[in-house]
Amino acid sequence: MTRVLLAPDGFKGSISAAAAAAALAAGWRGARADDVIVELPMADGGEGTLDAFLVAVPGARRMPVTVTGPHGREVAASWVLLPETPEAPGGTAVVELASTSGIELLDGDLRPFDADTRGFGEAIAAALDHDVSRLVVAIGSSASTDAGLGMLVALGARVTDAEGLDVAPGLRGVRAAAGLDRSGLRALPAGGAVVLTDVRSPLTGPAGAAAVFGPQKGLAPDDIADADTALARAGALLEIDAAHPGAGAAGGTGAALLAWGAELVPGAERIADLIGLATAVGEADVVVTGEGSFDASSATGKAPARVAALARAGGRAVGLVAGRISPDADTSGFAAAVSLVELAGSTEAALAEPARWLAVAGESLARRLG
């Protein structure tokens, strides 16, 4: 009998980490019914972060909240309340940008100049209203390039133009921003705030938020320079170092969180610590991880890299399953690697039935690693 740890990240735009783990487990049991399987969905600060905490932390509770989405309409979202501890007697709140102001909420209708982070700030405000002792905020999968100003407005700040009027939401407002009044800005909880992100980009420049991530959010090539100038203006208003690693995360939301007093940390690494990944790996004989697209960048802060590193350090066999495995990806550290696209025969087929093909992958890995 083998003890198996299944710790995949979500397959972006296809299936959540929790559902992916469940499908892998079903497939594994089809080949090795007597094995003990532990499902521990992973995340790196993007979508699926709340689910990872709900599965891993006993007593974690989902707290519903209605916020303003990146399209300007109401979104039924939630944050997660972690149990009280001596260090956090009021509990810890986990708030996820992806489910409140994330790009998936736009359903393909990108709004490069108008999407903002107001909903994310509203969810943080709801957690503060609950008198939590500390915050953990995850800022992956952003829809906007608003330097986090929408979030700050939702938390009580005021952003004004040269005439003293409130600016519009999104990048459109950042371009007009001339003043930032923090007098009404809510304070951090007593235990502070930790920001989970897998992005180490500066706020501005060729590696900054506009240049690297703006096109994903709908910015045309001719818009990048103007957006970068606007972000530089926002950085000056926020009084932060624009070169700080992670300031450019989530369209500059990292910069606003720095200005608020939060600490930016590598998402996958901190989530792994918070959900007890090292202990789970130590108790396993075989570990399986994965994500939607495994490529050369997967080794730089992504959840599967963290899982694999812990597994190899403990001498555990580790398998990989990914929607697609890029030709430039180094899979030499895995005892077995499976691509859903190869199993299904095409990207379209893999995306149409991810749970089916993950089950097939789970069965294949069980035969090879069990």
Side-chain angles (χ1 to χ4, degrees), residues 19-47:
L24 285 168
W28 190 287
R29 290 190 182 99
R32 296 177 59 86
D34 293 334
D35 285 351
V36 175
I37 298 176
V38 176
E39 300 171 33
L40 192 67
M42 274 294 293
D44 53 23
E47 58 186 322

Side-chain angles (χ1 to χ4, degrees), residues 50 78-80 93-97 100 120 123-124 127 135-139:
L50 296 186
S78 60
W79 55 279
V80 166
V94 185
V95 185
E96 181 186 270
L97 186 148
T100 53
F120 180 49
I124 292 173
L135 279 171
V136 175
V137 295
I139 61 173

Side-chain angles (χ1 to χ4, degrees), residues 91 93 124 127-128 131-136 186-194 260:
I124 292 173
L128 294 177
D131 291 329
V132 296
S133 296
R134 64 179 181 180
L135 279 171
V136 175
R186 300 185 66 164
L188 290 171
V194 170
W260 193 34

Side-chain angles (χ1 to χ4, degrees), residues 260-327:
W260 193 34
E263 176 191 7
L264 271 59
V265 301
E269 181 177 328
R270 185 59 63 93
I271 289 173
D273 292 343
L274 290 169
I275 68 174
L277 177 65
T279 298
V281 168
E283 294 171 347
D285 302 305
V286 175
V287 178
V288 175
T289 188
E291 63 181 345
S293 179
F294 190 82
D295 54 30
S297 70
S298 296
T300 59
K302 300 291 187 179
R306 182 61 179 166
V307 176
L310 285 172
R312 288 193 289 266
R316 271 59 177 179
V318 56
L320 170 72
V321 57
R324 65 177 288 274
I325 298 177
S326 174

Side-chain angles (χ1 to χ4, degrees), residues 91-116:
T92 296
V94 185
V95 185
E96 181 186 270
L97 186 148
S99 59
T100 53
S101 301
I103 195 166
E104 295 293 329
L105 296 173
L106 294 179
D107 198 25
D109 184 21
L110 301 179
R111 306 177 75 234
F113 295 99
D114 301 299
D116 74 344

